[in-house]
């Protein structure tokens, strides 16, 4: 396997830690493998809160911990090879940001502790036995996204009452996506909304999905909560604007940074930061099987009124009354 293609050692330039050479890390310090879908390093800032959390707990890369950032570069089929690389590197703990990464890590080892950063539904996807007693080598934080997916569709219908056909983009290779689609179909039946589900395996699939949705007369857009839609946020929001589709997203950054219409999201930086405490407890001797999985308790509803105006939409006062963040 070509390690250079897949592995980027986190450097001080990326996250303001002291620069440390990969090969020169002391052999007696713990090793953390960060396994993610997201391309590149931390320059996207999506996981900075986690690494800041480690720094706040006293961990310094190259000094008292060694960290490898292993990216699938947007290709989920790479996770088994990357998980095998974690074993070759003799990782003491593996941190995962997506369910397929967690599944690959579990398949590679049932003993190395695996920490989840806000995965979708670890019980129904078979990663843990229960939230209170995970029972294996996986613990961390869960978002329980199927229930939240239905909430997003309900908010979209409240904001735009006349819609009856919604394009749903889902990365169905991730086992959390079918669970969300099922929840959306159940909610759509009671809301009088028909779903047009399109499986997105890479960024190349996005244009065709939007083109087909136009022919099927989709009136709005909703994405499920997989990493591809965060990594491709700029592309998704650009296509939504081109096809004049009002959209509900899973990530508030798509509203704040890319001009998407709406998002219903957890306080994601807080979730990511809290994952650092799990690493700390594991390295101090705690067992993953005994660490309860946490769920978020705070969600944020965001609306971009500039985008609403561009789309010719008037958001009902009742919806505006429950919005947490308004972009004007």
């Amino acid at each position: 396997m070509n390690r250079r293609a897949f592995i980027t050692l986190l450097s001080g330039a990326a996250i303001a830690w002291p620069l440390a050479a990969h090969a020169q890390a002391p052999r007696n310090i713990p090793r953390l493998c960060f396994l993610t879908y997201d391309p590149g390093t931390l320059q996207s800032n999506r996981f900075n809160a986690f690494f800041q959390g480690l720094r706040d707990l006293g961990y310094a890369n190259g000094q008292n911990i060694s960290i490898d950032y292993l990216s699938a570069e947007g290709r989920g089929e790479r996770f088994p090879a990357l998980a095998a690389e974690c074993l070759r590197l003799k990782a003491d703990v593996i941190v995962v940001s997506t369910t397929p990464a967690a599944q690959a890590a579990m398949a590679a080892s049932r003993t190395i502790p695996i920490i989840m950063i806000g995965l979708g539904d670890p019980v129904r996807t078979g990663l843990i036995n229960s939230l209170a007693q995970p029972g294996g080598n996986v613990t961390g934080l869960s978002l329980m996204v199927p229930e939240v997916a239905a909430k997003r569709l309900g908010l979209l219908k409240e904001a735009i009452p006349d819609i009856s056909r919604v394009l749903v983009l889902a990365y169905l290779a991730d086992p959390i996506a079918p669970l969300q689609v099922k929840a959306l179909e159940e909610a759509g039946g009671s809301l009088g909304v028909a779903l047009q589900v399109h499986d997105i395996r890479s960024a190349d699939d996005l244009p065709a999905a939007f083109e087909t949705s136009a022919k099927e007369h989709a009136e709005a857009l909703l994405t499920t909560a997989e990493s591809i839609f965060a990594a491709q946020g700029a592309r998704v929001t650009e296509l939504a604007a081109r096809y004049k589709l009002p959209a509900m997203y899973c990530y508030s950054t798509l509203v704040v940074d890319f001009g998407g219409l709406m998002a219903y999201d957890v306080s994601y930086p807080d979730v990511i930061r809290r994952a650092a405490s799990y690493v700390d407890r594991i390295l101090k001797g705690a067992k993953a099987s005994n660490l309860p999985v946490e769920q978020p308790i705070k969600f944020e509803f965001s609306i971009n009124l500039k985008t609403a105006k561009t789309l010719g939409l008037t958001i009902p006062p009742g919806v505006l009354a429950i919005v947490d963040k308004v972009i004007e």
Side-chain angles (χ1 to χ4, degrees), residues 24-109:
Q24 295 176 352
R27 300 177 67 92
N28 62 339
I29 65 174
R31 188 154 212 155
L32 182 155
C33 281
F34 190 89
L35 190 52
T36 181
Y37 177 94
D38 291 42
T41 65
L42 293 186
Q43 294 176 354
S44 67
N45 295 321
R46 194 154 87 96
F47 303 114
N48 273 353
F50 170 74
F51 294 99
Q52 180 61 53
L54 286 179
R55 292 197 296 275
D56 292 343
L57 290 166
Y59 293 95
N61 189 32
Q63 296 180 19
N64 58 0
I65 194 169
S66 178
I67 300 177
D68 302 282
Y69 187 98
L70 282 68
S71 171
E73 298 292 333
R75 291 174 56 186
E77 68 272 16
R78 290 178 170 174
F79 282 127
L82 294 177
E85 182 69 2
C86 290
L87 269 62
R88 195 195 68 78
L89 291 169
K90 300 186 184 304
D92 296 285
V93 61
I94 300 172
V95 177
V96 294
S97 69
T98 185
T99 299
Q103 291 178 317
M106 278 186 67
S109 173

Side-chain angles (χ1 to χ4, degrees), residues 191-225:
L191 293 169
V193 174
L195 305 182
Q196 301 166 1
V197 180
H198 286 258
D199 186 13
I200 304 299
R201 298 301 175 100
S202 73
D204 294 339
D205 296 329
L206 290 168
F210 278 88
E211 180 64 27
T212 301
S213 75
K215 296 176 182 177
E216 295 174 343
H217 306 290
E219 299 162 323
L221 164 70
L222 188 147
T223 66
T224 50

